[in-house]
Amino acid sequence: MILPLSFKTDSSVNPALYLCKLAQLHGYQDVRIMLKAYRLRLPQGQQNHLIGYSSIVKALTGQDIDYAAPAEFQYDSTRYFKSLVSNHLKVCPDCLECGSSPIEHNLVTSATCRVHSLKLLAECPQCNHELTFDRQLLTGSCSYCGHCLPRVSQNEPEYQKMLYDLRSDKRLDAIHDLALAAGYILRPYDCIPAQIKNEEISDWIGLFSKAFKLLTDKETLLNWGSEVFKQKQTRVKGLGVQASLAGIVFLDEHTMLDWPELKNARDYFSNTLTFKDGIFSGEKLLSEMPEETFVSKRGRHLKALNEEDIKSYFNYRITLEGLSMVSGIDLEVLEALYKNNTFKTIGAANNYSQNFVDLRDVSRIVTEVSEEVETFTHVLPDSMNLLIEKLMLVNLSMSQFWHFAFSHSNLVRIGEGSEKIIDRAYIDKPALMKFCFKTFTADTNGKLRKSVVMDIFGLSEFDLRELAKHDLLHPMPWNQRHTYYRIKHLINMENKLFCLGRYCELRGLDFQTTASQLESVGIHPVLGRSIFECRYQVLHFLKFNQWIEPKKRYLPPSNFTFLKGRDPRKALLLN
Ligand SMILES: [Zn+2]
Ligand SMILES: [Zn+2]
């Protein structure tokens, strides 16, 4: 199997060039014929393109050579362009004359030979035929028309210079960022650029030059942002400015290196709510790739959309993670809403955060609940945290909160505006608290932790001790890390007596003030500080400022049972 003549090569030399020289040495017309004679074939495809050459060279010459592109250019499934090794030949005429052709030239990002500062050629400038290694090319001329390959002086493009100037670990990140930005050059209106087949791209150099501009040039960024905003604002108005600019937000969030101009542009857009036409004069980059060039096929879910929406579907498709960035709602919450079918499901990924929603659909839902908010309280970040705590007390989650918000509920509304929706959320606090307590009392067999009981019912340690002493409320008897109370026991207790703490909690009243008001007319708690004997008496005073006789009196039990044959731990409560 091994060729009679051979000479040494190494992994820095393009294997195609080496094979070509071997073929010439053995008098074969070209490489293909030589390989055919040995029942071998040139490697196909892109991903394992170079690796394929290793076995051919091994078979023909017995040399073990590991051909590989620089690690940062090899296949990476997390990158927008998964493979960055070109399967087209690119040559530098001067390198060729020296009998070499570095593998590095075959990366899609390579435009200029760094040694000779010459333009790398992929096709003959005369006949436009793609170059391949053969006898003719070894002498520096096109094998189809015989045209002598010109030496075109060319400075390195900025992005290529940047890539080589970076340390190798940073280079990996820079390549990732360039590939992602290139995605927006190809699909500028997409929130997340849909994957394009590598072979659809003819001008990689131009693509990466533009991508570099998108990461570094202010005018270009502003131009892109304003164009995208103009096109999208009507369709996703309900979600605010951020949603129209989801692309910029996503790009900024997902770049690995710091690109100051990108950050500036994002900030600028976030703070500027209206755009004037024609204020940006930067180079226009916008030109969409046609739908056929996508890697992904049309899903069944698209059937529900009308013709016009299908065309722009990719422009509005966003992952839950992206939606979280533009709406300001936590990802976990969105995942729960997604599982709950609050949004329409679009496709399914292994990972929930990668599932898609249609921004237009979400915007529609938000617009439906954007109404008068005058009587509602604005949910400020501080009160949001408070709200979360309150919801947790009654086993409600933030996702339920947003589910109410998105389902025509009168508890939560989204105000109109261009900020993130989280900044436009308004709640009707009393209504929400009432709702919370309703769900809470529905679960009478449930149990609540002592700290939660104290919070919801406004009870102090002293109150709990007093209640236990009067045999009105005891903690649950088993021993766990926390002390628990049964909800039905709490409700029982409430039916017998009036709990001012919970009343204040529910109405948003200040407990101290209310209690001292009552005290001023001689209405005192019968137990602890929060437990009053008669609901009617207290409410009558609070409503009409009138003292009346209590309707029922509380008589403490004459015979306390708390020490008799009960769980001794309860006695501890008395200390
Ligand atoms: Zn060169
Ligand atoms: Zn030619």
Side-chain angles (χ1 to χ4, degrees):
M1 275 296 274
I2 290 179
L3 285 167
L5 303 167
S6 78
F7 56 96
K8 286 221 171 312
T9 182
D10 64 65
S11 61
S12 69
V13 177
N14 191 321
L17 175 69
Y18 177 68
L19 290 181
C20 180
K21 284 180 178 173
L22 274 182
Q24 200 179 24
L25 190 65
H26 289 84
Y28 288 105
Q29 193 126 42
D30 69 32
V31 176
R32 264 169 224 282
I33 298 174
M34 174 178 75
L35 291 181
K36 209 173 169 189
Y38 285 83
R39 295 185 181 186
L40 293 167
R41 274 175 47 192
L42 279 175
Q44 300 291 313
Q46 198 157 28
Q47 192 182 333
N48 296 313
H49 183 59
L50 277 171
I51 299 161
Y53 276 108
S54 299
S55 60
I56 296 175
V57 171
K58 168 94 178 154
L60 290 178
T61 70
Q63 295 179 86
D64 270 317
I65 293 176
D66 204 1
Y67 292 107
E72 17 341 340
F73 290 87
Q74 283 168 20
Y75 186 87
D76 178 353
S77 65
T78 63
R79 197 168 48 205
Y80 181 73
F81 292 113
K82 305 205 183 302
S83 178
L84 291 176
V85 183
S86 169
N87 44 8
H88 299 291
L89 182 64
K90 273 190 277 185
V91 296
C92 158
D94 274 3
C95 285
L96 210 55
E97 202 173 274
C98 307
S100 81
S101 182
I103 283 181
E104 182 188 294
H105 286 174
N106 278 30
L107 302 174
V108 293
T109 54
S110 298
T112 306
C113 172
R114 289 174 63 78
V115 180
H116 302 107
S117 295
L118 289 181
K119 185 182 178 187
L120 297 177
L121 302 170
E123 53 188 38
C124 165
Q126 175 88 8
C127 68
N128 293 331
H129 224 288
E130 198 182 297
L131 298 178
T132 47
F133 276 121
D134 57 20
R135 264 166 216 268
Q136 275 296 103
L137 194 60
L138 287 183
T139 65
S141 48
C142 168
S143 37
Y144 298 94
C145 70
H147 181 74
C148 187
L149 295 182
R151 289 167 164 75
V152 185
S153 291
Q154 180 180 278
N155 291 330
E156 270 184 289
E158 278 178 273
Y159 76 86
Q160 193 189 330
K161 196 166 172 337
M162 174 201 69
L163 286 183
Y164 282 102
D165 289 348
L166 286 168
R167 290 208 329 265
S168 66
D169 57 327
K170 291 273 179 192
R171 200 180 299 154
L172 182 70
D173 292 342
I175 289 167
H176 171 276
D177 292 357
L178 270 178
L180 183 63
Y184 286 104
I185 298 297
L186 297 169
R187 301 278 314 165
Y189 295 101
D190 286 4
C191 300
I192 302 159
Q195 193 121 41
I196 305 283
K197 296 171 195 152
N198 276 20
E199 54 276 20
E200 296 292 337
I201 297 155
S202 53
D203 181 16
W204 284 95
I205 312 296
L207 178 63
F208 282 115
S209 297
K210 284 179 179 174
F212 186 69
K213 270 197 142 178
L214 197 63
L215 291 167
T216 54
D217 184 62
K218 186 180 167 188
E219 292 287 302
T220 306
L221 276 162
L222 294 182
N223 202 39
W224 174 42
S226 54
E227 279 292 320
V228 172
F229 181 81
K230 253 188 274 169
Q231 196 221 35
K232 284 195 180 175
Q233 58 172 340
T234 47
R235 307 295 295 275
V236 291
K237 203 170 173 211
L239 289 172
V241 172
Q242 295 273 324
S244 309
L245 298 169
I248 282 201
V249 175
F250 191 89
L251 179 62
D252 184 41
E253 293 284 336
H254 286 81
T255 43
M256 303 274 195
L257 299 178
D258 284 333
W259 304 96
E261 283 302 339
L262 176 60
K263 191 138 264 108
N264 288 345
R266 181 184 167 181
D267 290 346
Y268 173 79
F269 284 121
S270 305
N271 300 325
T272 313
L273 307 180
T274 52
F275 291 92
K276 292 189 190 95
D277 287 347
I279 50 169
F280 304 112
S281 53
E283 185 189 343
K284 285 211 170 162
L285 299 173
L286 309 184
S287 59
E288 281 200 276
M289 293 285 272
E291 214 183 320
E292 314 83 75
T293 52
F294 290 139
V295 170
S296 47
K297 295 244 158 51
R298 271 187 181 198
R300 232 181 308 153
H301 56 274
L302 291 185
K303 279 188 182 155
L305 300 177
N306 63 41
E307 200 54 37
E308 195 205 342
D309 281 351
I310 287 175
K311 271 190 199 146
S312 53
Y313 162 72
F314 282 99
N315 297 160
Y316 294 94
R317 183 186 73 159
I318 196 166
T319 56
L320 289 183
E321 190 195 8
L323 182 61
S324 167
M325 284 185 280
V326 299
S327 66
I329 298 173
D330 286 346
L331 180 58
E332 284 171 33
V333 172
L334 289 175
E335 284 175 14
L337 290 177
Y338 187 86
K339 287 176 200 166
N340 220 348
N341 289 326
T342 309
F343 310 126
K344 255 182 229 152
T345 350
I346 300 178
N350 295 335
N351 182 340
Y352 261 105
S353 63
Q354 297 305 317
N355 273 348
F356 291 113
V357 284
D358 191 326
L359 272 184
R360 293 169 297 192
D361 189 40
V362 181
S363 179
R364 210 171 296 136
I365 297 170
V366 171
T367 313
E368 276 166 17
V369 291
S370 301
E371 288 172 64
E372 290 279 306
V373 288
E374 272 160 23
T375 57
F376 286 58
T377 320
H378 190 190
V379 186
L380 295 165
D382 279 354
S383 44
M384 183 60 104
N385 287 338
L386 250 163
L387 181 74
I388 294 171
E389 281 171 31
K390 286 276 174 292
L391 292 173
M392 265 159 44
L393 291 180
V394 291
N395 293 328
L396 278 173
S397 62
M398 276 313 278
S399 57
Q400 279 157 309
F401 171 81
W402 284 108
H403 185 72
F404 301 141
F406 292 141
S407 52
H408 288 278
S409 140
N410 281 327
L411 309 180
V412 192
R413 278 180 191 170
I414 314 290
E416 282 187 359
S418 52
E419 302 98 341
K420 286 181 180 183
I421 56 172
I422 193 131
D423 297 325
R424 288 185 279 134
Y426 290 77
I427 50 165
D428 182 348
K429 215 176 153 203
L432 185 71
M433 287 321 281
K434 266 181 216 161
F435 182 84
C436 290
F437 282 109
K438 215 163 95 191
T439 54
F440 152 75
T441 44
D443 177 29
T444 51
N445 251 335
K447 56 182 183 175
L448 289 176
R449 239 194 245 180
K450 186 173 156 190
S451 56
V452 175
V453 169
M454 289 167 74
D455 202 337
I456 293 184
F457 286 80
L459 298 173
S460 58
E461 288 279 355
F462 175 60
D463 293 319
L464 288 175
R465 273 205 303 268
E466 289 284 300
L467 284 167
K469 209 164 159 183
H470 288 240
D471 226 356
L472 283 160
L473 184 70
H474 296 287
M476 287 169 73
W478 55 69
N479 191 3
Q480 278 171 327
R481 251 179 82 213
H482 300 286
T483 308
Y484 289 98
Y485 289 88
R486 271 237 187 273
I487 290 175
K488 66 178 170 202
H489 294 162
L490 285 158
I491 293 170
N492 257 343
M493 175 273 285
E494 270 218 322
N495 289 340
K496 287 181 195 157
L497 294 163
F498 177 63
C499 178
L500 184 66
R502 190 160 98 92
Y503 178 80
C504 289
E505 185 65 51
L506 199 64
R507 312 277 144 163
L509 301 172
D510 181 58
F511 176 77
Q512 287 303 338
T513 327
T514 318
S516 46
Q517 268 177 347
L518 289 166
E519 205 171 323
S520 67
V521 290
I523 304 175
H524 298 286
V526 284
L527 289 173
R529 293 192 187 91
S530 188
I531 311 297
F532 289 76
E533 62 181 338
C534 177
R535 181 186 187 86
Y536 180 73
Q537 183 193 30
V538 172
L539 294 192
H540 194 88
F541 172 74
L542 290 179
K543 271 183 194 152
F544 308 108
N545 209 10
Q546 266 175 1
W547 188 92
I548 50 159
E549 279 288 333
K551 270 195 167 177
K552 57 176 184 186
R553 284 275 176 195
Y554 173 68
L555 298 168
S558 53
N559 191 12
F560 289 126
T561 56
F562 63 90
L563 285 176
K564 286 184 194 163
R566 286 226 174 207
D567 190 327
R569 269 173 303 114
K570 273 174 216 148
L572 295 175
L573 282 166
L574 300 172
N575 297 326

mmCIF file of all heavy atoms in Angstrom, residues 216-238:
data_model
loop_
_atom_site.group_PDB
_atom_site.id
_atom_site.type_symbol
_atom_site.label_atom_id
_atom_site.label_comp_id
_atom_site.label_asym_id
_atom_site.label_seq_id
_atom_site.Cartn_x
_atom_site.Cartn_y
_atom_site.Cartn_z
ATOM 1 N N THR A 216 -17.491 46.752 17.480
ATOM 2 C CA THR A 216 -16.582 47.823 17.889
ATOM 3 C C THR A 216 -16.963 49.213 17.396
ATOM 4 O O THR A 216 -16.449 50.198 17.916
ATOM 5 C CB THR A 216 -15.161 47.541 17.354
ATOM 6 O OG1 THR A 216 -15.240 47.333 15.936
ATOM 7 C CG2 THR A 216 -14.559 46.324 18.000
ATOM 8 N N ASP A 217 -17.831 49.304 16.395
ATOM 9 C CA ASP A 217 -18.078 50.609 15.806
ATOM 10 C C ASP A 217 -19.409 51.199 16.267
ATOM 11 O O ASP A 217 -20.470 50.610 16.080
ATOM 12 C CB ASP A 217 -18.054 50.488 14.274
ATOM 13 C CG ASP A 217 -18.206 51.846 13.609
ATOM 14 O OD1 ASP A 217 -17.329 52.695 13.828
ATOM 15 O OD2 ASP A 217 -19.217 52.048 12.914
ATOM 16 N N LYS A 218 -19.323 52.362 16.853
ATOM 17 C CA LYS A 218 -20.484 53.000 17.448
ATOM 18 C C LYS A 218 -21.587 53.274 16.413
ATOM 19 O O LYS A 218 -22.751 52.914 16.614
ATOM 20 C CB LYS A 218 -20.024 54.311 18.090
ATOM 21 C CG LYS A 218 -21.092 55.025 18.867
ATOM 22 C CD LYS A 218 -20.540 56.309 19.450
ATOM 23 C CE LYS A 218 -21.677 57.166 19.955
ATOM 24 N NZ LYS A 218 -21.225 58.492 20.346
ATOM 25 N N GLU A 219 -21.204 53.891 15.324
ATOM 26 C CA GLU A 219 -22.189 54.256 14.300
ATOM 27 C C GLU A 219 -22.923 53.020 13.786
ATOM 28 O O GLU A 219 -24.138 53.024 13.626
ATOM 29 C CB GLU A 219 -21.491 54.939 13.118
ATOM 30 C CG GLU A 219 -20.914 56.294 13.444
ATOM 31 C CD GLU A 219 -22.019 57.340 13.605
ATOM 32 O OE1 GLU A 219 -22.777 57.514 12.642
ATOM 33 O OE2 GLU A 219 -22.122 57.938 14.690
ATOM 34 N N THR A 220 -22.147 51.988 13.510
ATOM 35 C CA THR A 220 -22.742 50.761 12.992
ATOM 36 C C THR A 220 -23.752 50.195 13.968
ATOM 37 O O THR A 220 -24.852 49.785 13.598
ATOM 38 C CB THR A 220 -21.632 49.715 12.731
ATOM 39 O OG1 THR A 220 -20.650 50.314 11.890
ATOM 40 C CG2 THR A 220 -22.183 48.469 12.091
ATOM 41 N N LEU A 221 -23.366 50.208 15.247
ATOM 42 C CA LEU A 221 -24.255 49.664 16.281
ATOM 43 C C LEU A 221 -25.545 50.474 16.384
ATOM 44 O O LEU A 221 -26.639 49.928 16.452
ATOM 45 C CB LEU A 221 -23.534 49.669 17.622
ATOM 46 C CG LEU A 221 -22.634 48.468 17.873
ATOM 47 C CD1 LEU A 221 -21.645 48.767 18.982
ATOM 48 C CD2 LEU A 221 -23.478 47.267 18.246
ATOM 49 N N LEU A 222 -25.394 51.802 16.369
ATOM 50 C CA LEU A 222 -26.575 52.652 16.502
ATOM 51 C C LEU A 222 -27.484 52.494 15.285
ATOM 52 O O LEU A 222 -28.709 52.475 15.396
ATOM 53 C CB LEU A 222 -26.161 54.113 16.672
ATOM 54 C CG LEU A 222 -25.418 54.430 17.977
ATOM 55 C CD1 LEU A 222 -25.108 55.911 18.065
ATOM 56 C CD2 LEU A 222 -26.215 53.988 19.193
ATOM 57 N N ASN A 223 -26.840 52.351 14.156
ATOM 58 C CA ASN A 223 -27.594 52.178 12.931
ATOM 59 C C ASN A 223 -28.402 50.879 12.959
ATOM 60 O O ASN A 223 -29.588 50.839 12.651
ATOM 61 C CB ASN A 223 -26.616 52.153 11.767
ATOM 62 C CG ASN A 223 -27.295 52.496 10.476
ATOM 63 O OD1 ASN A 223 -28.145 53.365 10.442
ATOM 64 N ND2 ASN A 223 -26.950 51.789 9.434
ATOM 65 N N TRP A 224 -27.732 49.841 13.377
ATOM 66 C CA TRP A 224 -28.383 48.527 13.483
ATOM 67 C C TRP A 224 -29.563 48.606 14.447
ATOM 68 O O TRP A 224 -30.700 48.245 14.119
ATOM 69 C CB TRP A 224 -27.349 47.499 13.970
ATOM 70 C CG TRP A 224 -27.908 46.145 14.259
ATOM 71 C CD1 TRP A 224 -28.828 45.459 13.524
ATOM 72 C CD2 TRP A 224 -27.579 45.298 15.372
ATOM 73 N NE1 TRP A 224 -29.087 44.235 14.098
ATOM 74 C CE2 TRP A 224 -28.335 44.109 15.234
ATOM 75 C CE3 TRP A 224 -26.706 45.413 16.458
ATOM 76 C CZ2 TRP A 224 -28.253 43.065 16.142
ATOM 77 C CZ3 TRP A 224 -26.632 44.363 17.349
ATOM 78 C CH2 TRP A 224 -27.394 43.203 17.203
ATOM 79 N N GLY A 225 -29.281 49.130 15.649
ATOM 80 C CA GLY A 225 -30.307 49.201 16.680
ATOM 81 C C GLY A 225 -31.525 49.984 16.228
ATOM 82 O O GLY A 225 -32.669 49.552 16.419
ATOM 83 N N SER A 226 -31.299 51.138 15.592
ATOM 84 C CA SER A 226 -32.447 51.969 15.229
ATOM 85 C C SER A 226 -33.258 51.346 14.094
ATOM 86 O O SER A 226 -34.478 51.436 14.088
ATOM 87 C CB SER A 226 -32.002 53.388 14.879
ATOM 88 O OG SER A 226 -31.012 53.353 13.898
ATOM 89 N N GLU A 227 -32.570 50.687 13.162
ATOM 90 C CA GLU A 227 -33.291 50.003 12.086
ATOM 91 C C GLU A 227 -34.178 48.897 12.646
ATOM 92 O O GLU A 227 -35.343 48.766 12.290
ATOM 93 C CB GLU A 227 -32.292 49.370 11.098
ATOM 94 C CG GLU A 227 -31.701 50.315 10.081
ATOM 95 C CD GLU A 227 -32.737 50.796 9.070
ATOM 96 O OE1 GLU A 227 -33.592 49.991 8.633
ATOM 97 O OE2 GLU A 227 -32.681 51.987 8.742
ATOM 98 N N VAL A 228 -33.567 48.097 13.522
ATOM 99 C CA VAL A 228 -34.304 46.974 14.103
ATOM 100 C C VAL A 228 -35.473 47.495 14.939
ATOM 101 O O VAL A 228 -36.589 46.991 14.857
ATOM 102 C CB VAL A 228 -33.362 46.094 14.959
ATOM 103 C CG1 VAL A 228 -34.148 45.046 15.710
ATOM 104 C CG2 VAL A 228 -32.317 45.429 14.077
ATOM 105 N N PHE A 229 -35.208 48.547 15.698
ATOM 106 C CA PHE A 229 -36.256 49.111 16.540
ATOM 107 C C PHE A 229 -37.428 49.590 15.693
ATOM 108 O O PHE A 229 -38.588 49.325 15.999
ATOM 109 C CB PHE A 229 -35.696 50.269 17.360
ATOM 110 C CG PHE A 229 -36.709 50.885 18.278
ATOM 111 C CD1 PHE A 229 -36.999 50.293 19.489
ATOM 112 C CD2 PHE A 229 -37.388 52.032 17.914
ATOM 113 C CE1 PHE A 229 -37.947 50.846 20.328
ATOM 114 C CE2 PHE A 229 -38.340 52.586 18.750
ATOM 115 C CZ PHE A 229 -38.621 51.989 19.961
ATOM 116 N N LYS A 230 -37.094 50.306 14.602
ATOM 117 C CA LYS A 230 -38.132 50.845 13.729
ATOM 118 C C LYS A 230 -39.021 49.724 13.186
ATOM 119 O O LYS A 230 -40.231 49.850 13.136
ATOM 120 C CB LYS A 230 -37.488 51.596 12.560
ATOM 121 C CG LYS A 230 -37.623 53.108 12.687
ATOM 122 C CD LYS A 230 -37.146 53.790 11.423
ATOM 123 C CE LYS A 230 -35.652 54.026 11.457
ATOM 124 N NZ LYS A 230 -35.081 54.452 10.181
ATOM 125 N N GLN A 231 -38.369 48.629 12.825
ATOM 126 C CA GLN A 231 -39.142 47.549 12.223
ATOM 127 C C GLN A 231 -40.001 46.807 13.246
ATOM 128 O O GLN A 231 -41.073 46.316 12.940
ATOM 129 C CB GLN A 231 -38.194 46.558 11.536
ATOM 130 C CG GLN A 231 -38.912 45.647 10.580
ATOM 131 C CD GLN A 231 -38.398 44.214 10.666
ATOM 132 O OE1 GLN A 231 -38.029 43.717 11.722
ATOM 133 N NE2 GLN A 231 -38.372 43.556 9.528
ATOM 134 N N LYS A 232 -39.507 46.745 14.480
ATOM 135 C CA LYS A 232 -40.157 45.844 15.445
ATOM 136 C C LYS A 232 -41.098 46.498 16.437
ATOM 137 O O LYS A 232 -41.917 45.819 17.045
ATOM 138 C CB LYS A 232 -39.073 45.108 16.244
ATOM 139 C CG LYS A 232 -38.414 44.016 15.470
ATOM 140 C CD LYS A 232 -37.670 43.142 16.429
ATOM 141 C CE LYS A 232 -36.975 42.021 15.719
ATOM 142 N NZ LYS A 232 -36.157 41.264 16.659
ATOM 143 N N GLN A 233 -40.945 47.804 16.641
ATOM 144 C CA GLN A 233 -41.609 48.386 17.805
ATOM 145 C C GLN A 233 -43.119 48.179 17.833
ATOM 146 O O GLN A 233 -43.691 48.002 18.892
ATOM 147 C CB GLN A 233 -41.265 49.858 17.938
ATOM 148 C CG GLN A 233 -41.631 50.676 16.732
ATOM 149 C CD GLN A 233 -41.452 52.158 16.987
ATOM 150 O OE1 GLN A 233 -41.409 52.595 18.118
ATOM 151 N NE2 GLN A 233 -41.337 52.928 15.933
ATOM 152 N N THR A 234 -43.768 48.153 16.663
ATOM 153 C CA THR A 234 -45.220 48.012 16.697
ATOM 154 C C THR A 234 -45.652 46.612 17.114
ATOM 155 O O THR A 234 -46.668 46.444 17.763
ATOM 156 C CB THR A 234 -45.842 48.334 15.328
ATOM 157 O OG1 THR A 234 -45.093 47.642 14.338
ATOM 158 C CG2 THR A 234 -45.819 49.821 15.057
ATOM 159 N N ARG A 235 -44.839 45.614 16.736
ATOM 160 C CA ARG A 235 -45.252 44.235 17.002
ATOM 161 C C ARG A 235 -45.032 43.810 18.447
ATOM 162 O O ARG A 235 -45.710 42.913 18.934
ATOM 163 C CB ARG A 235 -44.505 43.247 16.079
ATOM 164 C CG ARG A 235 -44.597 43.566 14.602
ATOM 165 C CD ARG A 235 -46.002 43.446 14.056
ATOM 166 N NE ARG A 235 -46.540 42.098 14.089
ATOM 167 C CZ ARG A 235 -46.318 41.198 13.142
ATOM 168 N NH1 ARG A 235 -45.573 41.485 12.116
ATOM 169 N NH2 ARG A 235 -46.861 40.002 13.237
ATOM 170 N N VAL A 236 -44.060 44.406 19.107
ATOM 171 C CA VAL A 236 -43.769 43.965 20.482
ATOM 172 C C VAL A 236 -43.798 45.141 21.456
ATOM 173 O O VAL A 236 -43.073 45.183 22.434
ATOM 174 C CB VAL A 236 -42.412 43.223 20.588
ATOM 175 C CG1 VAL A 236 -42.490 41.893 19.888
ATOM 176 C CG2 VAL A 236 -41.264 44.034 20.014
ATOM 177 N N LYS A 237 -44.670 46.103 21.157
ATOM 178 C CA LYS A 237 -44.720 47.328 21.949
ATOM 179 C C LYS A 237 -44.980 47.048 23.434
ATOM 180 O O LYS A 237 -44.383 47.662 24.300
ATOM 181 C CB LYS A 237 -45.818 48.230 21.396
ATOM 182 C CG LYS A 237 -45.612 49.682 21.728
ATOM 183 C CD LYS A 237 -46.569 50.554 20.971
ATOM 184 C CE LYS A 237 -46.440 51.970 21.480
ATOM 185 N NZ LYS A 237 -47.666 52.706 21.403
ATOM 186 N N GLY A 238 -45.860 46.080 23.679
ATOM 187 C CA GLY A 238 -46.239 45.790 25.058
ATOM 188 C C GLY A 238 -45.074 45.392 25.941
ATOM 189 O O GLY A 238 -45.130 45.505 27.159
#
